[in-house]
Structures are given as structure tokens and as C-alpha cells.
Amino acid sequence: MKNNILKITFITALFLSIAGCSSNDDSDSPVIIDPPVVVDTDPLTTANAATYLVDPNATKETVALFYNLKKLAKTKTAIGQQDPFNSFYLDAGGDSDIKKNTGFDPAILGSDFMFITDKSNDGTASNWFYQQEQKIVSDAKAAYAKGAINTFCWHLREPNKEESFYAADMTSEQKTTAFRSILPGGANNEWYKKKLDKVASVVSNLKGTNGELIPIIFRPFHEFDGSWFWWGASFSTSDEYKKAYQFTVDYLKNTKGVHNILYAFSPDNSYTTQADYLSRYPGDNYVDILGMDNYGDFNNQGQTGADRANSKLKILSDYAKTKVKIAALTETGFRVTSSTPAITDWFSTLLYSSLTKNDIQISYVMFWNNNKDGYYVPNGSVSNTTDFKNYSAKTKSALVNSLPKMYELSK
């Protein structure tokens, strides 16, 4: 057990130190935007909002979150960060680093089901993984109480030894078989259902002070177009990926009766056409939020990279307008360390332009977590503090203080 925990702790440290999740591929392939078939008038109303969700039985707070995120994108993009209340630059605790800088907390709290579903989480008070679960749940409740939004990713460890989510840590045979083994009829489908049972239990018990279920955004199997995770494109066919995503949604929604989830689809930034983006899309009936994770286009690529990112965001924004979905930049950032200096005006010019040019509507953007050795969001005492503060104060940016009441439908 001790060796196992040490190994997992090492993997955890590695996970926290990586530059986000995705590739820094700065491919300059031209981005082709299909002529959008965009409705002239937004058909979404408070009366019909529930009909556009994946879950027709979603709670009223979840319906309200969908509606308000969709409407928010017309004027603002909410700013979020992964694990902002427990992961700080230089391990300097206290307020979130965003609040240290701006005076306000992020509008989006990013969390992970990774530790919650870990094989070593035995549900006892002295167990480190269970303690992480309790901390994540507490943070999610606190964010909701502030009016912020909760989104969860899932760095699910592979089903063989359950020690890593990286394909590089697996044998060739494991990489070939792991993902399809969790599909219905597969050798590890029951294993996967037990993991989903744990997710369902946590989400179904995530409640506000009045006993209402707290809505979350869940983006399973993210960055699937790359091959760094065991669910990546090299290890599954398009059909297998779609089936896994669909099974996940159906199991949580129908089998477990979880009705406080919005479902997000989030490839990395490899696509250049709408057809590329939708190549593994599980269907409109399974996706509420159209996302993209993109680090590479912002990795010292200047305005050219920012414009390339904007073109990719326009693809999903236009599709979201057509299909009455939400569009989001579900992960991004540029990690500053002692050896990697900040990029001048990265937030206020490059990122902001990518989120606002060409009439795109992006509901939220989420930065990866800060930690001891580096940061994605300045904490108020570093060189690019003013850049972020200026960005967060711009007309189309929103921290938690600028959000409307996200869990209520306007009368």
C-alpha cells in the first residue's frame, strides 16, 4: 500500500506539473470555416430552454445554468481556473490567485473526478483520497454558494493497473485494448460502471443550502483527438469513442438517474474544419457544450496563433448557434515558470482577441491550475499581474462578481 501510494503521489506531482493536459502542437494548417447555417433569431427562451438539454428531466437549476450560459456568451465570457482554491503559485495559500490579483474569485471552478474515483479511495476519514474527495465537494458547494459554475474533467486511470491516465505508461497491448474494454460487452465494462456509480453518488449528493442539487458541467474523455491519454484517437475508432461517450451519458442519466449535469465535448486543437471537429461527435442528443482545449496556438505563437485559435473557436461557436448549444474554451493557458517568462499582453490582447473577434460567442474560458513551480494565472505579485487584471476588467470578461444569477430563469 505504501509503495502504491508513493507511486500515485509521484504521478499526482507529475500531473500537477505538466503544462496543462494538451499538446503544444503549433500547427499552422489553414483553418477552414464552413459557411454556417445560423438561425437569424435565437430560438432559446425561458419557456423552452429545457427542450434543448441532453437531459429532458434536468433540474430547474441545471436548465437555468444552460440558459444563462448561452445568453451570457452574447456579451461576456466567464473566466475560470482549475483547482483555484487549493493550488497556488509558490504554494502561497489563502484566497485564489485570481482573487489575490483582481479582488474577485473566478466565475468557473474546475475540478476533477480523478481522486474521487481512485481505487485507493476507501471512503474513510483517514484516507488521503477520500480527504481529496471531501475537499473537492466542499469547494464545489462553496463555488455554487458564491454564484460560480462548477465544471469537472476526469483523468480516469486506465483499467488494468489503475496507476496512470497516460498512454505512455501502458504496454502496447494495454493501449490497444483498454478503451474498447470499457464498452458494453467488454471485459472492463463492469469496472467502468462502478467508476460511474461513484461519480453518480457524488454528483447526486452535491447539494446547496436549501437541499437543491448543484448543477455541474462534465466533460468526459477530453482531448481525445490526441494520443497522450489512453482514450486517445490512436487507441479507439471513431465509432468506439462515440459509443463510450454515449454509454457514459445514458448510464448517468437513465440508469443512475442523475439530472444535474450538462455534458461537454472537448477535443484538443487539432481540427481545422467543422468536419474534423465533428469526426468523433456523439450527436446533438448527447452534448450540451461544445468545447476545445487549446494550449498550442497560444504557446509563443503571437497574434498569428491567437487568430488561428479564434478561427477554430468560430467553428464551434457557429455550430453552437445553429444547434442551440453552448460554446466554450474548456482549457487553455501559458505556463510561466522561473525559466519561461510571461508573454507581453498574452491575456489582454492575444487571448482576448481570440475570444471576441469575428462575432463568436464563447460562454467561458478555463485556465489550468497554478502550483509551486509555475502559474497560468498571475497572483498579483508577478510581472504580468497588470496584463491579467486589465483582461479581467474588459467589457467582455466576467469574474464571479460580473455573473448574473446563473441558477435562476428570468421572469
Side-chain angles (χ1 to χ4, degrees):
M1 175 62 75
K2 182 177 180 182
N3 289 338
N4 187 42
I5 290 175
L6 286 173
K7 186 167 186 179
I8 293 173
T9 303
F10 171 77
I11 293 171
T12 301
L14 175 64
F15 166 68
L16 291 175
S17 68
I18 59 175
C21 298
S22 70
S23 165
N24 280 328
D25 178 19
D26 56 3
S27 170
D28 57 0
S29 300
V31 178
I32 301 171
I33 302 173
D34 296 343
V37 182
V38 180
V39 290
D40 293 331
T41 304
D42 187 350
L44 182 67
T45 67
T46 55
N48 69 15
T51 65
Y52 289 102
L53 272 68
V54 166
D55 186 353
N57 298 311
T59 66
K60 63 184 179 66
E61 291 81 9
T62 307
V63 174
L65 178 59
F66 178 90
Y67 176 88
N68 288 317
L69 273 173
K70 180 67 175 171
K71 294 298 184 181
L72 180 70
K74 293 177 180 293
T75 57
K76 290 183 180 292
T77 297
I79 298 169
Q81 187 175 24
Q82 185 77 9
D83 199 21
F85 303 134
N86 286 290
S87 195
F88 313 94
Y89 180 49
L90 300 178
D91 286 343
D95 290 332
S96 67
D97 283 350
I98 287 179
K99 187 172 184 178
K100 290 185 185 103
N101 186 335
T102 66
F104 302 103
D105 275 318
I108 310 278
L109 168 65
S111 300
D112 199 324
F113 286 120
M114 176 174 63
F115 294 147
I116 291 173
T117 59
D118 193 278
K119 65 179 179 180
S120 297
N121 184 350
D122 63 9
T124 61
S126 61
N127 179 265
W128 185 87
F129 291 93
Y130 182 67
Q131 291 169 3
Q132 304 314 301
E133 175 185 332
Q134 295 299 99
K135 188 182 295 184
I136 291 165
V137 167
S138 176
D139 286 348
K141 290 180 177 179
Y144 173 75
K146 294 176 182 180
I149 302 151
N150 285 287
T151 180
F152 280 75
C153 63
W154 194 10
H155 289 88
L156 176 63
R157 305 192 194 282
E158 47 78 25
N160 297 292
K161 296 182 179 180
E162 295 189 53
E163 293 179 350
S164 179
F165 43 82
Y166 286 123
D169 296 328
M170 302 166 67
T171 67
S172 295
E173 181 180 359
Q174 288 170 344
K175 285 186 281 191
T176 301
T177 60
F179 189 73
R180 61 176 56 98
S181 77
I182 70 172
L183 293 172
N188 290 310
N189 182 248
E190 290 300 317
W191 170 88
Y192 183 52
K193 286 195 288 187
K194 288 180 181 178
K195 298 298 183 185
L196 289 174
D197 289 344
K198 179 64 177 180
V199 169
S201 175
V202 169
V203 178
S204 295
N205 286 287
L206 196 62
K207 296 180 180 179
T209 54
N210 295 319
E212 76 280 18
L213 289 166
I214 296 173
I216 71 160
I217 296 165
F218 178 35
R219 53 188 192 103
F221 305 124
H222 66 297
E223 296 174 11
F224 53 83
D225 49 332
S227 294
W228 40 91
F229 298 140
W230 61 272
W231 54 84
S234 295
F235 316 120
S236 65
T237 65
S238 174
D239 185 58
E240 287 168 343
Y241 181 85
K242 293 175 185 178
K243 286 181 178 178
Y245 193 107
Q246 291 165 353
F247 176 82
T248 300
V249 174
D250 286 337
Y251 189 81
L252 290 172
K253 180 181 64 169
N254 301 328
T255 303
K256 302 303 293 185
V258 182
H259 300 301
N260 51 322
I261 298 179
L262 297 177
Y263 294 93
F265 173 79
S266 60
D268 196 50
N269 70 341
S270 66
Y271 67 92
T272 56
T273 67
Q274 185 183 93
D276 288 344
Y277 182 80
L278 298 175
S279 63
R280 293 184 173 230
Y281 186 61
D284 292 336
N285 291 333
Y286 288 90
V287 175
D288 296 299
I289 296 170
L290 301 162
M292 170 181 69
D293 291 8
N294 192 344
Y295 296 86
D297 286 333
F298 296 104
N299 185 22
N300 271 320
Q301 304 304 306
Q303 192 62 54
T304 299
D307 289 345
R308 192 161 57 241
N310 173 261
S311 296
K312 295 172 184 178
L313 287 170
K314 184 167 176 58
I315 290 172
L316 62 89
S317 174
D318 285 344
Y319 191 80
K321 290 176 185 178
T322 304
K323 299 291 186 174
V324 194
K325 304 291 183 185
I326 294 162
L329 181 51
T330 41
E331 269 188 48
T332 194
F334 179 80
R335 188 168 187 259
V336 179
T337 68
S338 59
S339 59
T340 306
I343 297 172
T344 302
D345 296 334
W346 189 92
F347 292 101
S348 60
T349 299
L350 299 177
L351 177 68
Y352 190 74
S353 69
S354 74
L355 293 170
T356 56
K357 290 175 69 173
N358 293 319
D359 191 34
I360 66 172
Q361 295 180 5
I362 304 300
S363 293
Y364 66 89
V365 55
M366 198 185 73
F367 305 106
W368 201 241
N369 64 296
N370 292 357
N371 61 22
K372 179 181 179 180
D373 301 317
Y375 66 89
Y376 286 92
V377 178
N379 63 4
S381 61
V382 290
S383 64
N384 56 343
T385 291
T386 301
D387 179 31
F388 183 82
K389 196 168 186 177
N390 289 342
Y391 156 68
S392 67
K394 283 182 175 287
T395 304
K396 292 189 175 182
S397 297
L399 293 170
V400 69
N401 61 303
S402 299
L403 289 180
K405 293 181 178 179
M406 299 301 292
Y407 302 103
E408 298 178 14
L409 287 174
S410 57
K411 302 299 184 182

